[in-house]
Amino acid sequence: MPELPEVEHAARSLRAWLTGVAVVRAGAPATRVFRDGSNRTFQRSLPGRTLARVERRGKVLLLFFDGDVGVLSHLGMTGKWVRHQPPSGDPAPRHSRASLALADGSAVHYCDPRMFGRLALHRAAELPDLPEVRALGPDPVADGIDAAALHAALSRTARAVKAALLDQKILAGVGNIYATEALFRARVHPARAGRSLSRREVERIARGLDDTFADALARLGGDMAYLSDGAHVENPFAIYDRAGEPCPSCRRALSKATIGGRTSAFCARCQK
DNA sequence: ACGGATGTTCGCGC
DNA sequence: CGCGCGAACATCCG
């Protein structure tokens, strides 16, 4: 599920489901999801609280409840927030790792089969100051991409540009799918050293990210259930997970390589 | 049955 | 210090 657009979708869902509706019960078994052991505080602190607002910083969600109760949520690889309406009779969500029963009779669950995601309870006022939040670079959607600043950051590293884009300190929210797609749109080879990129190429990358995120955000709630469970949805991406298929631009078979520790598809002819 | 998967973090070696 | 690599985390899907 979760790169910037999918996390944005989660933020919007949580706002719609939780804002202004009091929590009546909170459940949170001790699992790896609560790395810091705050599941008991979660269960004790949330009943009676009402969500005031949700912020997204890159792939991180910050939930601000009244009474200075805050929750940090990172979806990891397979985490998602789902709503469950008991009257509908549908089965309880699978792999629920935390739940909030609400005053309107619905419940909101954090589900995460692999438990790479994370929840942590904090004082709401301190959420923005947590080290893992402060360490994040600019958010390409919320803050916009400053091409000059991105060029400067990339110029400082010999790493592959794809690996640098996955570094959350450089831009917060870019993951393997969107880095792959943006570099294709920019016609830049994913293995190029960051410091080898011209200002013009970095501008194309910034544009590629903007366009890729805009397309994904426009699909929110539409066909973007790609890789979620349930109904199979066609891969909506141009080259992600399409190695061996023809390049959409030149028809040459797309290549595959491991860059920055992650599988990358690219066109060896179009991406220089 | 095997291999790989949207993410992050750690240790090791150069 | 920077960086690549492999492993780990735990489960599902083709």
Side-chain angles (χ1 to χ4, degrees):
Chain A
M1 249 280 259
E3 292 183 36
L4 187 154
E6 295 81 6
V7 180
E8 176 62 24
H9 182 56
R12 293 177 189 181
S13 299
L14 289 170
R15 283 180 199 120
W17 299 336
L18 291 174
T19 306
V21 189
V23 175
V24 296
R25 271 194 326 280
T31 66
R32 198 186 125 74
V33 161
F34 287 90
R35 307 270 199 287
D36 62 354
S38 61
N39 62 301
R40 303 187 65 151
T41 326
F42 180 93
Q43 295 185 80
R44 184 161 30 85
S45 305
L46 280 163
R49 304 274 64 84
T50 298
L51 184 74
R53 69 179 202 283
V54 178
E55 287 185 19
R56 181 191 59 74
R57 312 274 185 103
K59 302 173 192 172
V60 172
L61 292 169
L62 304 178
L63 281 59
F64 297 80
F65 291 84
D66 60 10
D68 199 26
V69 172
V71 175
L72 178 146
S73 164
H74 191 298
L75 303 178
M77 198 86 118
T78 53
K80 57 180 165 183
W81 286 95
V82 302
R83 183 186 217 183
H84 183 229
Q85 310 249 37
S88 66
D90 43 50
R94 291 169 48 110
H95 307 295
S96 171
R97 310 302 184 187
S99 61
L100 298 172
L102 305 180
D104 64 5
S106 70
V108 170
H109 291 252
Y110 175 67
C111 298
D112 190 348
R114 294 172 76 179
M115 295 193 281
F116 290 0
R118 196 160 68 86
L119 289 172
L121 195 92
H122 294 279
R123 293 193 310 117
E126 73 187 15
L127 287 175
D129 297 321
L130 295 173
E132 63 261 56
V133 175
R134 300 192 66 136
L136 296 171
D139 184 292
V141 169
D143 304 326
I145 301 176
D146 178 337
L150 181 59
H151 187 222
L154 292 172
S155 298
R156 275 184 243 117
T157 184
R159 302 148 85 192
V161 59
K162 167 99 181 298
L165 290 176
L166 297 179
D167 182 341
Q168 303 298 295
K169 294 191 288 298
I170 292 183
L171 285 176
V174 181
N176 199 33
I177 293 178
Y178 293 94
T180 296
E181 295 287 297
L183 289 167
F184 173 70
R185 294 198 194 209
R187 305 190 310 280
V188 170
H189 195 291
R192 284 278 301 283
R195 62 165 62 129
S196 77
L197 299 168
S198 69
R199 172 63 189 264
R200 184 161 302 180
E201 287 171 324
V202 174
E203 282 168 2
R204 294 208 307 263
I205 292 169
R207 184 78 187 284
L209 287 164
D210 280 343
D211 292 349
T212 310
F213 285 137
D215 285 356
L217 290 167
R219 288 196 299 267
L220 286 184
D223 70 352
M224 89 163 309
Y226 177 65
L227 292 174
S228 69
D229 58 344
H232 174 265
V233 178
E234 189 71 15
N235 172 0
F237 301 108
I239 69 161
Y240 173 77
D241 200 25
R242 293 193 187 279
E245 295 181 32
C247 168
S249 175
C250 79
R251 315 311 294 172
R252 180 195 157 130
L254 292 167
S255 309
K256 174 161 114 168
T258 299
I259 298 164
R262 312 292 297 278
T263 298
S264 304
F266 62 95
C267 176
R269 181 180 294 152
C270 295
Q271 293 175 257
K272 302 299 184 191

